[in-house]
Amino acid sequence: MYVCICNGVTDHQIREAASNGVSTVAELTMRTGCGATCGSCLDMAGDLLAKARATYDLPLPVLGLAQVA
């Protein structure tokens, strides 16, 4: 689905950017152009980015336990 019509940025591209380390809407705009023209897509893009980042930022409690031991 197109999120940013002005610059042709899709939800897939936003999820891909998140998997490549993009963590803020400003960085998403710099890397993809999403929201750079009219900005009406920034709320939706920010929501998609946050959901995608939550998927990639899962904590690994086992690693924390290994460091304590």
Side-chain angles (χ1 to χ4, degrees):
M1 157 183 79
Y2 282 97
V3 175
C4 178
I5 302 299
C6 296
N7 295 306
V9 180
T10 65
D11 60 326
H12 175 75
Q13 290 172 301
I14 293 172
R15 285 192 297 274
E16 184 178 339
S19 72
N20 289 328
V22 172
S23 60
T24 66
V25 175
E27 187 178 3
L28 181 68
T29 300
M30 287 187 285
R31 290 199 183 189
T32 65
C34 184
T37 303
C38 77
S40 65
C41 61
L42 289 176
D43 286 338
M44 181 183 283
D47 290 343
L48 286 169
L49 183 62
K51 287 178 185 173
R53 291 297 300 165
T55 302
Y56 295 109
D57 289 341
L58 293 175
L60 298 174
V62 175
L63 290 177
L65 293 174
Q67 294 172 352
V68 173

